[in-house]
């Protein structure tokens, strides 16, 4: 039940399940399952909806990571300093963070299809212009627009899942999305490298343009509207801001949001630091690093599938989440002890093992924080999804530069950032979500 002093949006909400149990909402009018007829029809498409939403979720990491092997070529082609070309990555990431704040409330007001199709069209146009960008400044500008538009896929995919699923079904679907979105960062640099064998860096943006165009056509033809008109918000910007303020005033929602964002920041610090840590400090070859990076990603995906296919529905989401966060804290603690020399000189294998455990446990933490947060927000799934995504990207962007703060000769900053984020995530989960109170 909402606490005293809750916002009107919170007081009107009737879809808050008994936290930690995976219980579903009370049935609503429309169908025996409580979902509107349109949502039931969308659910029946099954695999097709999964592939469409998975494609939308995978597009942003493809946009970021396919481009990585081409950075030196861009520097040479545009006669720009490396630091300037790096801003093309920063611009895309910033756009993805800010775009979710805009698109989420739009989807609550006008439905899911129109904002998504608009975002996809802008993404295709901006990416096509990147193909012909004559200067680094223009490339940075349109990478920002590309990120802003691509954010529509992230935020609306989560909102559509909330429209279609409840309780344990939603948690299972998020685990399935993690399988698809987890593969994208692994294969994206490989695809980019193969494209560079046949063309220059502009060819990568041409491929992304075709992918975006194909996904736009698929969305237009097969992804039906999942938010009925009677459930939409009719207010303007002020109403959207009040909705977000009401969401943030919900202590439990905010707890899950921050816990998930800090877990994402621990993951992001690994992605930022691991190339340097594994290769320069612990002597891994580029091939060995690629293999270890792939193994860690597979661990995350496998645990995510175990969460969705085995654990969800058998134990409460909060118990699975608590176990995942505990393992992340333990793994980060072990990494800090190893990298700081407490156990003496350690080699590549123990550090790689610690990173594997930490990454695998993300498969329990990330889908369950999203599911538990969105289960409280049927009245504003788009705005809630926007807050979840923006918070993750911003906290991850803050944590990422800190991993190199002590120079190039130590991995302690990476492990320390991961431990601080993991402990912070556990503190938010216990201090704000308080699962034992809500279960009681």
């Amino acid at each position: 039940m909402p606490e005293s002093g809750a916002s009107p949006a919170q007081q009107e909400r009737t879809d808050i399940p008994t936290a930690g149990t995976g219980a579903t909402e009370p049935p609503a009018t429309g169908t025996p399952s409580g979902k509107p007829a349109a949502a039931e029809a969308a659910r029946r498409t099954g695999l097709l909806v999964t592939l469409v939403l998975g494609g939308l979720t995978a597009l942003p990491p493809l946009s970021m990571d396919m481009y990585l092997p081409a950075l030196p070529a861009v520097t040479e082609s545009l006669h720009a300093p490396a630091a300037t070309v790096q801003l093309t990555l920063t611009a895309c990431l910033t756009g993805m963070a800010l775009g979710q704040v805009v698109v989420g409330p739009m989807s609550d007001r006008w439905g899911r299809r129109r904002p998504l199709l608009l975002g996809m069209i802008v993404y295709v146009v901006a990416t096509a212009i990147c193909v012909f960008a004559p200067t680094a400044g223009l490339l940075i500008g349109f990478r920002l627009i590309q990120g802003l538009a691509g954010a529509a896929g992230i935020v609306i995919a989560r909102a559509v899942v909330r429209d279609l699923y409840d309780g344990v079904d939603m948690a299972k679907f998020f685990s399935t999305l993690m399988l698809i979105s987890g593969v994208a960062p692994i294969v994206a640099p490989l695809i980019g490298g193969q494209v560079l064998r046949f063309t220059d860096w502009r060819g990568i943006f041409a491929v992304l343009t075709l992918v975006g165009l194909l996904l736009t056509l698929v969305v237009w033809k097969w992804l039906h509207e999942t938010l009925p008109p009677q459930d939409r918000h009719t207010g303007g910007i002020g109403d959207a801001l009040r909705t977000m303020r009401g969401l943030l005033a919900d202590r439990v929602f905010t707890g899950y949001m921050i816990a998930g964002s800090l877990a994402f920041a621990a993951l992001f610090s690994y992605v930022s630091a691991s190339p340097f840590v594994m290769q320069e400090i612990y002597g891994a070859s580029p091939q060995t690093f690629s293999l270890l990076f792939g193994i860690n990603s597979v661990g995350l995906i496998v645990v995510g599938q175990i969460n969705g296919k085995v654990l969800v529905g058998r134990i409460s989401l909060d118990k699975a989440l608590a176990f995942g966060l505990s393992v992340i804290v333990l793994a980060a603690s072990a990494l800090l002890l190893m990298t700081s020399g407490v156990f003496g000189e350690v080699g590549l294998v123990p550090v790689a093992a610690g990173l594997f455990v930490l990454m695998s446990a993300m498969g329990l933490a990330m889908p369950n924080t999203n599911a538990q947060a969105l289960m409280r927000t049927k009245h504003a799934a788009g705005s809630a999804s926007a807050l979840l995504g923006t918070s993750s990207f911003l906290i991850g962007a803050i944590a990422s530069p800190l991993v190199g703060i002590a120079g190039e000769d130590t991995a302690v900053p990476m492990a320390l950032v991961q431990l601080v984020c993991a402990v912070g995530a556990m503190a938010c989960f216990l201090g704000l979500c308080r699962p034992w109170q809500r279960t009681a």
Side-chain angles (χ1 to χ4, degrees):
M1 294 294 293
E3 301 179 43
S4 59
S7 67
Q10 290 171 268
Q11 293 171 351
E12 293 172 3
R13 184 174 63 244
T14 60
D15 61 326
I16 300 178
T18 302
T21 64
T24 57
E25 306 172 8
T29 58
T31 65
S33 65
K35 286 293 183 182
E40 285 294 329
R43 287 184 64 175
R44 284 195 295 269
T45 60
L47 179 61
L48 182 60
V49 171
T50 302
L51 293 176
V52 173
L53 297 182
L56 293 172
T57 306
L59 187 61
L62 285 175
S63 303
M64 291 288 294
D65 296 344
M66 274 185 65
Y67 178 63
L68 294 179
L71 285 177
V74 177
T75 301
E76 182 179 352
S77 173
L78 298 181
H79 307 289
T84 301
V85 174
Q86 286 283 350
L87 290 177
T88 60
L89 295 175
T90 304
C92 188
L93 183 62
T94 302
M96 290 179 188
L98 298 179
Q100 295 184 64
V101 179
V102 177
V103 177
M106 286 175 60
S107 73
D108 283 336
R109 182 177 183 184
W110 291 301
R112 312 304 185 201
R113 270 179 61 87
R114 282 189 288 176
L116 177 56
L117 287 171
L118 176 62
M120 293 303 301
I121 291 170
V122 174
Y123 173 89
V124 170
V125 173
T127 307
I129 293 176
C130 288
V131 176
F132 305 101
T135 65
L138 190 62
L139 183 60
I140 291 170
F142 279 94
R143 283 284 278 173
L144 176 64
I145 297 174
Q146 184 191 40
L148 287 167
I154 307 174
V155 65
I156 293 181
R158 276 195 301 261
V160 168
V161 173
R162 182 63 189 95
D163 293 339
L164 299 181
Y165 297 95
D166 296 316
V168 296
D169 290 334
M170 182 166 57
K172 290 179 179 180
F173 199 95
F174 274 126
S175 294
T176 302
L177 282 187
M178 177 167 286
L179 171 64
I180 300 172
S181 61
V183 170
I186 302 174
V187 302
L190 301 177
I191 296 173
Q194 293 304 309
V195 171
L196 290 176
R197 293 181 59 186
F198 303 99
T199 182
D200 61 5
W201 63 271
R202 298 180 188 275
I204 292 178
F205 286 109
V207 172
L208 287 172
T209 301
L210 292 176
V211 171
L213 182 60
L214 177 62
L215 195 53
T216 303
L217 294 175
V218 169
V219 168
W220 175 74
K221 184 170 180 60
W222 282 297
L223 187 63
H224 303 291
E225 180 58 63
T226 59
L227 185 66
Q230 65 269 21
D231 291 338
R232 299 175 190 176
H233 292 194
T234 57
I237 295 177
D239 183 67
L241 293 176
R242 283 190 294 272
T243 298
M244 288 188 172
R245 184 176 62 189
L247 291 170
L248 293 174
D250 180 0
R251 168 178 53 77
V252 180
F253 170 83
T254 301
Y256 286 121
M257 180 188 74
I258 299 177
S261 298
L262 288 170
F264 179 81
L267 182 151
F268 208 70
S269 65
Y270 157 78
V271 173
S272 300
S274 60
F276 167 75
V277 169
M278 306 295 279
Q279 295 179 82
E280 299 298 325
I281 297 180
Y282 292 100
S285 66
Q287 293 75 23
T288 301
F289 165 72
S290 299
L291 177 63
L292 292 174
F293 191 90
I295 290 173
N296 290 344
S297 299
V298 169
L300 185 152
I301 294 168
V302 168
V303 173
Q305 293 309 291
I306 292 173
N307 176 73
K309 306 297 184 184
V310 178
L311 300 181
V312 172
R314 291 178 171 85
I315 67 173
S316 72
L317 301 185
D318 278 329
K319 287 182 179 178
L321 174 57
F323 181 76
L325 292 176
S326 299
V327 172
I328 293 172
V329 170
L330 292 175
S333 301
L335 284 168
L336 182 59
L337 292 174
M338 286 189 287
T339 56
S340 60
V342 172
F343 299 134
E345 194 75 21
V346 297
L348 174 63
V349 173
V351 173
L355 288 171
F356 174 78
V357 173
L358 184 144
M359 283 290 291
S360 298
M362 294 291 176
L364 293 175
M366 295 174 62
N368 289 329
T369 51
N370 279 335
Q372 288 287 64
L374 287 173
M375 266 195 274
R376 303 182 63 82
T377 59
K378 178 63 177 175
H379 65 291
S383 297
S385 177
L387 289 174
L388 291 172
T390 301
S391 174
S392 294
F393 274 93
L394 290 180
I395 294 179
I398 292 171
S400 179
L402 299 178
V403 298
I405 199 170
E408 302 179 354
D409 300 322
T410 176
V412 170
M414 179 194 73
L416 184 60
V417 169
Q418 289 173 334
L419 180 58
V420 170
C421 290
V423 172
M426 180 64 82
C428 287
F429 173 60
L430 296 177
L432 296 178
C433 302
R434 302 174 192 173
W436 62 89
Q437 291 182 353
R438 291 178 294 115
T439 300

